[in-house]
Amino acid sequence: MLKAVDDAIIDQKDPASRNGEVTSWDINDIKLPQDVKHTDWFQEWPDSYVKHIYSSEDKNAQRHLSSWAMRNTNNHNSRILKKSCLWVVACSNDCSVPSGRKIYLRPAICDKARQKQQRKSCPNCNGPLKLIPCRGHGGYPVTNFWRHEGPFIFFQSKGSHDHPRPETKSEAEARRSIQKAHSAVPPTSPRIKRMTLFFLKSLTGEMQSQETFPLLLSKQEDYISPSSFSGHLIDKTPQEQCMGKCCSGSTLPSADLHCETIVLQNSLDSSIQHTPSIVPTMKSGHQPFRPNMSLPGNEFNEGKSHVNYNSSYIPSTLYQLSPEDPFLVTCAAHHKYHNSLNPMKGNEWDLEEERKYMNLDHCNNEMFFNLCPMR
DNA sequence: AGCTGCGGGCCAG
DNA sequence: CTGGCCCGCAGCT
């Protein structure tokens, strides 16, 4: 039904044709190009009628990742994986966080989880949430297609997202982790207070990333990547700003936690509203982002060297902030792996286990002190 | 608990 | 027939 429209638009926008080596193909073609000389860099926010050819080695492509909330949809073709956009969750009150940015949450992919999510309230103003539909593909949600062929993974997007970007997957996971922490740990917990303080202090740091460099907490409250906090420099102390603007007059017993959520949200919608397509380069080497070059932290990268989206080099390191209260700062790529190796015992850390996986040799001193304001 | 992929089935055009 | 979507299941994290 939409095929004619798609074809017309694709002919105009096919980036894969720029090289001249791959003139045109469609995901439904019986035979896809095999003489591909250059694969594309992984695109976190594919939009409009674009096509990409990724290397089959690309982990992100292998996982069919997207920062848009996309769900699997059955096209009765096992060779082509089809996904459609799940819209974006926004605040009905159209509220803004202190930075002035709007709340755009990532819809849960699982149907049940999404229904549950919609019954929840805005993390900022507690108002009801609403869905902003995606109708960018002839009135229907944008669809993405993935097809594995030999050494390549072909990607095709149909439709333009006509709504704001949601949180990235990593950010949504981080938010859930914080919510879990809220329910698992008493709000007055010194640990939570210190974590909140750390979050807030991070705001005034020199982190430069404007992008989706993820902020992730572990299942309980463990890992933080402060470079998510950026672009929110303020003249009051962060505590003052948050307590004044977010929690003023709050009778909530968990006012400090509320602040923490808002701060997180700052980082989240910052990334949402400022994220261009990602083509970061190494500060020193001007190397393009390649699938195996690894962006810091999230699902969009793997490996040891990290390049944030603003070209700052981030060491792949865990930082222990306090021996007696070991929050760890790490790139998010490690957090799941790390967590899987370090299950919490109740709410307490197993320090021995922790030390096993700490690698302070990698710790870049400058980064360390930037990231460890509590020392 | 939630993400992801698969596939059966239904419906509209 | 194609495309959109719902649903349940299974594997995984």
Side-chain angles (χ1 to χ4, degrees), chain A residues 310-351:
Chain A
N310 252 14
S311 309
S312 298
Y313 182 78
I314 310 292
S316 170
T317 309
L318 304 175
Y319 302 95
Q320 184 171 4
L321 298 182
S322 162
E324 69 277 5
D325 193 18
F327 294 139
L328 294 179
V329 179
T330 181
C331 292
H334 300 281
H335 105 288
K336 281 186 180 175
Y337 178 66
H338 192 87
N339 277 331
S340 69
L341 295 170
N342 291 279
M344 289 277 287
K345 293 168 180 157
N347 282 330
E348 295 304 318
W349 282 91
D350 182 330
L351 291 180

Side-chain angles (χ1 to χ4, degrees), chain A residues 5-284:
Chain A
V5 179
D6 290 342
D7 290 346
I9 298 173
I10 287 164
D11 285 346
Q12 296 170 6
K13 298 195 177 183
D14 179 7
S17 64
R18 285 178 309 205
N19 298 339
E21 56 188 329
V22 181
T23 51
S24 70
W25 53 270
D26 185 89
I27 203 78
N28 292 308
D29 290 348
I30 296 170
K31 269 214 159 189
L32 290 172
Q34 294 178 321
D35 58 339
V36 181
K37 293 189 183 70
H38 303 289
T39 52
D40 293 313
W41 304 342
F42 186 77
Q43 298 298 303
E44 187 183 357
W45 296 100
D47 205 351
S48 78
Y49 294 79
V50 298
K51 289 184 275 188
H52 296 291
I53 303 175
Y54 301 121
S55 162
S56 58
E57 302 294 309
D58 189 319
K59 299 290 182 193
N60 304 313
Q62 285 174 6
R63 295 166 193 164
H64 313 132
L65 292 181
S66 172
S67 283
W68 301 103
M70 306 294 291
R71 74 162 160 198
N72 183 295
T73 182
N74 188 11
N75 62 342
H76 301 278
N77 183 343
S78 56
R79 291 178 63 192
I80 302 173
L81 177 65
K82 178 182 178 182
K83 293 185 162 195
S84 58
C85 181
L86 277 172
W87 312 2
V88 62
V89 177
C91 174
S92 287
N93 296 336
D94 200 32
C95 73
S96 301
V97 294
S99 67
R101 295 182 175 83
K102 303 291 184 184
I103 299 286
Y104 296 121
L105 306 181
R106 180 183 184 83
I109 306 298
C110 166
D111 291 344
K112 273 188 180 175
R114 200 166 55 256
Q115 287 165 10
K116 201 168 131 190
Q117 178 187 38
Q118 284 182 250
R119 291 195 295 268
K120 292 180 179 173
S121 54
C122 171
N124 187 30
C125 73
N126 226 28
L129 296 173
K130 66 174 180 185
L131 275 168
I132 300 177
C134 178
R135 306 204 185 283
H137 186 212
Y140 289 104
V142 171
T143 48
N144 288 352
F145 298 86
W146 297 88
R147 181 168 157 191
H148 295 234
E149 289 289 336
F152 307 115
I153 297 175
F154 293 82
F155 170 87
Q156 184 167 347
S157 171
K158 295 182 178 179
S160 299
H161 295 274
D162 56 349
H163 53 85
R165 289 175 175 180
E167 307 155 288
T168 66
K169 189 181 152 200
S170 298
E171 289 161 345
E173 285 172 355
R175 186 167 45 79
R176 277 201 302 271
S177 296
I178 281 194
Q179 286 166 350
K180 270 188 190 173
H182 286 191
S183 56
V185 180
T188 51
S189 152
R191 182 187 298 256
I192 283 290
K193 283 182 175 173
R194 282 198 294 277
M195 183 172 73
T196 302
L197 180 63
F198 175 75
F199 269 89
L200 294 169
K201 285 191 174 183
S202 297
L203 273 171
T204 58
E206 295 181 353
M207 308 310 168
Q208 294 180 359
S209 171
Q210 297 282 332
E211 309 307 335
T212 53
F213 190 84
L215 177 149
L216 282 184
L217 299 181
S218 76
K219 287 173 187 165
Q220 306 300 321
E221 52 189 80
D222 4 319
Y223 303 111
I224 305 165
S225 170
S227 52
S228 282
F229 300 118
S230 58
H232 308 291
L233 297 183
I234 42 186
D235 47 16
K236 292 182 179 183
T237 68
Q239 294 93 327
E240 286 168 349
Q241 196 211 31
C242 183
M243 294 308 288
K245 291 186 179 179
C246 316
C247 310
S248 167
S250 171
T251 55
L252 293 172
S254 57
D256 53 342
L257 295 173
H258 182 57
C259 285
E260 170 199 330
T261 302
I262 301 310
V263 171
L264 173 63
Q265 190 58 52
N266 277 342
S267 76
L268 298 188
D269 67 6
S270 154
S271 72
I272 290 161
Q273 298 194 356
H274 295 277
T275 308
S277 59
I278 51 169
V279 187
T281 55
M282 295 284 283
K283 200 180 215 172
S284 52

Side-chain angles (χ1 to χ4, degrees), chain A residues 282 293-296 301-307 313-314 316:
Chain A
M282 295 284 283
M293 278 292 296
S294 306
L295 282 175
N301 74 91
E302 292 193 340
K304 292 179 180 175
S305 296
H306 297 298
V307 187
Y313 182 78
I314 310 292
S316 170

